[in-house]
């Protein structure tokens, strides 16, 4: 079948220009002569739809991570399983009239102690949102950014997450995360909003380049410029994004490790206090990414050079250390200077330095001793000039480690590849390892070596000693016989004994003294030295080391003070535990005789925690009310210690007072929730509240996040329904579901706290099922003594023996308080 001839296409189609004109009618219309354009429009519409679905999926993924963190907070607070915690989150969000994502972000903010939670609290207190603030809460956007950044695992993913979730709604066009290095250089760890070629060009910023990020690090403060042109500073994207710039230092634990740079197309907007806090919170996320190792970027910006890329891939496959050299771009000298452009993964610097200190440096800067006659630099220049490969099984390599020459022998091969040179060496000894050990030992131990010729008075110091003594590297070293002049007057006698032992008795010696530096700083120093005798000339040289032991000295001082503080803290903690235990026993004694109430017989058991510092907030109450009803309740305040005990007293007394109003149990828990939320300091609790009406034997009850009671009727034990109701104190207003039950003579009702059933290796449902089985066993168990501490007569209904049986055979293993209330209907 012949196809209709289409007019010739003179240029590529523009599908994204057709997409806005493709509506539902166009998609339903028949194919015509313009059918090809319609097909292109369909394709554009499909691409646009898929892009929107991808954006929604990414947003949902980050939001889902925040919700899961919120569920985790509820699991810890409610001490329940993930499924029940997720249900509580949905129920609470519905009652509060907010989304589950917003509520989860608030819960995470309450549990965390970081910039984001502080920012969320500030927004709630100030109730001020910038005019350009989107409808989505700030806490949700920042938590979504954090979740997406952590899921990505590197700085590039963190930059994209910041731009997509938090910064694009604020008008930010691009983001750059810079990693700071000890040599004052910067590297682009991650970016978003810039062209790929621009990011490659700014992969590395050498020391001394005055960029906005460098200024922020130098000033240790946020630096902003209305426009980049007015700042007259170079930076990434300076030709495409010329608007405002903001550089925010990023650090961890008081140490700056990078900078977050934000770029606008327009002028820098006015920086309000809420916006400033948002940017600081995002800088904290960037610092966390850099600290976790996510700041390693791609290859150098000029990796697009095909010839270099091919050579790089070749050298990366070698098992021997290899450097790739090229002539310095500004090198016009003869012979030309060479720059170390790349080192392969197997590269080992025989001077023990990290590869980051080698890459990008000039060859003679990294290895100045390579300039010696017949050395490595001479061989490199010869190969580059002639193109003739060089091979030798034995070449002397030398480097300086803290001013001390370090020499090794190696097999070396040099070959030219276009404008580049490949230098491969194989070290025959452990020189790199020894050099690294030397550097690390001097750095970590703050130690430096010296050698003094007693005849010529020549003194050699390692570089560390100049820093230790507070002297510039150009200053003359301090001779041993001048040491008393730089020491504290009280330590000069000890130094005198040290010098006599060393110089007169020619024996090794050591001493500790206080060094008074010229800059006014006093350091505690240990000096160790030994004489070096030469045949026929006696004592000529002294070698030794100085070590800064200030940290050790002050640690010993601090330890002595800490021991005193610890003894005082232990005494205070023991006193608090004793007071908490006395308060708990005064309100709820471990032993309590049965209570005879109208139509009821009530037995109670209270088993405190085995450890005094775990005194908890479990409580119970059985009280006749003026209305004729009987109040029956059990509760558990979260936490341990004096705070939990005082919270328990407050809630128990508050419920007694509220019950006198004659309100139902659901209303009583609602009021008690408001009391817990407003009148206590960060207290949460669970409770079961029941009102029993004598005569009709009608029991109305409600629960607030507490395990439901167990009903024993005949030979069967059943768990009462799990009525809806969140724990006390979590929110301001809460609604509780109320249940009703008519009891029969001979029925027993058991109310308890989670210390009776909770196990670390079982779910809550499994523990509840075990309790019902144990309760049924107790119906048929023979009468015995009171193992639970009651010791009272069991009575005709066997209530006391039943409670003792539950306590004796409970398999809980959390060492928590246990409160048990049994009600027998007569």
């Amino acid at each position: 079948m012949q196809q209709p001839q289409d007019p010739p296409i003179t240029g590529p189609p523009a599908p994204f220009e057709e997409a806005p004109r493709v509506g539902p009618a166009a998609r339903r219309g028949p194919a015509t002569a313009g059918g090809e354009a319609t097909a292109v429009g369909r394709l554009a519409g499909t691409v646009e739809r898929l892009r929107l679905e991808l954006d929604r999926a990414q947003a949902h993924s980050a939001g889902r991570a925040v919700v899961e963190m919120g569920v985790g907070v509820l699991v810890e607070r409610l001490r329940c399983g993930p499924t029940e915690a997720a249900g509580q989150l949905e129920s609470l969000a519905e009652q509060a009239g907010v989304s589950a994502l917003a509520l989860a972000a608030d819960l995470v903010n309450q549990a965390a102690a970081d910039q984001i939670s502080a920012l969320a609290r500030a927004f709630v207190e100030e109730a001020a949102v910038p005019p350009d603030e989107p409808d989505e809460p700030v806490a949700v956007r920042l938590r979504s950014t954090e979740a997406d950044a952590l899921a990505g695992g590197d700085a590039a993913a963190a930059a994209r997450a910041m731009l997509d979730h938090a910064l694009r709604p604020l008008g930010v066009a691009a983001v750059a995360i810079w990693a700071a290095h000890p040599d004052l250089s910067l590297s682009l760890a991650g970016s978003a909003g810039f062209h790929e070629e621009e990011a490659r060009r700014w992969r590395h910023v050498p020391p001394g380049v005055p960029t906005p990020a460098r200024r922020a690090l130098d000033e240790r403060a946020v630096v902003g410029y209305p426009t980049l042109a007015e700042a007259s500073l170079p930076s990434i994207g300076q030709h495409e994004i010329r608007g405002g710039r903001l550089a925010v230092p990023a650090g961890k634990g008081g140490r700056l490790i990078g900078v977050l740079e934000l770029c606008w197309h327009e002028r820098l907007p006015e920086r309000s206090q809420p916006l400033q806090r948002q940017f600081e919170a995002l800088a904290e996320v960037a610092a966390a990414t850099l600290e976790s190792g996510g700041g390693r970027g791609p290859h150098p910006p000029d990796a697009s050079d095909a010839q270099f890329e091919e050579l790089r891939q070749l050298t990366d496959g070698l098992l021997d250390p290899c450097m790739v050299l090229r002539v310095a771009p500004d090198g016009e000298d003869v012979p030309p200077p060479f720059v170390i452009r790349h080192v392969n993964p197997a590269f080992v610097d025989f001077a023990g330095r990290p590869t980051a200190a080698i890459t990008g440096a000039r060859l003679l800067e990294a290895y100045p001793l390579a300039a010696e006659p017949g050395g490595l630099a001479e061989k490199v220049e010869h190969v580059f000039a002639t193109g003739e490969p060089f091979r030798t099984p034995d070449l002397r390599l030398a480097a300086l480690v803290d001013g001390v020459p370090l020499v090794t022998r190696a097999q070396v091969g040099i070959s030219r590849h276009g404008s580049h040179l490949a230098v491969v060496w194989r070290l025959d000894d452990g020189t790199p390892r020894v050099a690294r050990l030397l550097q690390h030992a001097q750095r970590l131990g703050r130690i430096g070596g010296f050698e003094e010729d007693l005849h010529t008075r020549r003194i050699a110091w390692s570089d560390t000693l100049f820093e230790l003594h507070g002297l510039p590297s150009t200053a003359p070293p301090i001779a041993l016989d001048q040491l008393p002049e730089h020491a504290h007057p009280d330590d000069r006698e000890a130094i005198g004994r040290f010098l006599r032992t060393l110089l007169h008795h020619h024996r090794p010696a050591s001493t500790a003294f206080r060094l008074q530096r010229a800059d006014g700083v006093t350091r505690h120093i240990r000096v160790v030295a030994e004489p070096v005798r030469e045949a026929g000339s006696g004592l000529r040289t002294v070698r030794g080391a100085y070590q800064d032991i200030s940290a050790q000295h002050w640690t010993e001082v601090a330890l002595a003070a800490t021991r005193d503080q610890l003894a005082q803290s232990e005494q205070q903690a023991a006193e608090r535990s004793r007071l908490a235990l006395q308060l708990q026993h005064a309100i709820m004694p471990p032993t309590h005789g049965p209570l005879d109430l109208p139509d009821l017989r009530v037995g109670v058991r209270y088993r405190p925690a085995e450890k005094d510092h775990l005194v908890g907030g479990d409580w119970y109450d059985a009280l006749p009310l003026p209305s004729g009803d009987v109040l029956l309740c059990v509760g558990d305040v979260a936490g341990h210690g004096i705070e939990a005990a005082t919270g328990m007293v407050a809630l128990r007394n508050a419920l007694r007072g509220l019950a006198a109003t004659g309100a139902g149990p659901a209303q009583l828990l609602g009021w008690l929730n408001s009391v817990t939320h407003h009148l206590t300091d960060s207290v949460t609790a669970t409770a079961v509240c029941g009102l029993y009406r004598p005569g009709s034997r009608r029991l109305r009850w409600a629960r607030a996040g507490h395990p439901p009671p167990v009903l024993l009727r005949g030979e069967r034990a059943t768990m009462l329904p799990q009525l809806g109701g969140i724990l006390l104190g979590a929110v301001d207003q809460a609604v509780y579901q109320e249940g009703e039950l008519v009891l029969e003579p001979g029925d027993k009702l058991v109310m308890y706290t989670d210390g009776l059933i909770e196990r670390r290796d079982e779910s809550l449902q499994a523990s509840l099922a075990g309790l019902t089985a144990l309760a049924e066993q107790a119906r048929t168990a023979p009468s015995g003594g009171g193992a639970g501490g009651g010791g009272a007569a069991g009575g005709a209904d066997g209530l006391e023996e039943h409670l003792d049986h539950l306590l004796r055979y409970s398999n809980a293993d959390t060492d928590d308080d246990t409160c048990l209330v049994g009600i027998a209907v007569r």
Side-chain angles (χ1 to χ4, degrees), residues 152-158 160 177-181 186-191 199 203-204 257 286-300 345 355-356:
D154 59 9
R160 290 192 299 269
I177 299 178
W178 303 94
H181 302 294
L186 297 173
S187 61
L188 184 63
S191 64
R203 175 65 181 85
H204 178 76
I257 60 176
T289 305
L290 294 173
E291 186 76 7
S292 63
R296 292 185 295 270
H299 295 294
T355 56

Side-chain angles (χ1 to χ4, degrees), residues 30 65 70 110-111 134 231 241 276 278 362 433 442 456 489 525 529 549 567 571 704 709 750 776 821 826:
Q110 292 177 11
I241 306 177
Q276 184 77 9
Q278 289 189 54
R362 296 197 177 195
R433 181 174 55 85
Q442 294 191 57
T456 64
I525 301 296
I549 59 171
Q571 182 179 0
V750 178
E776 291 181 353
V821 177
R826 294 186 290 193

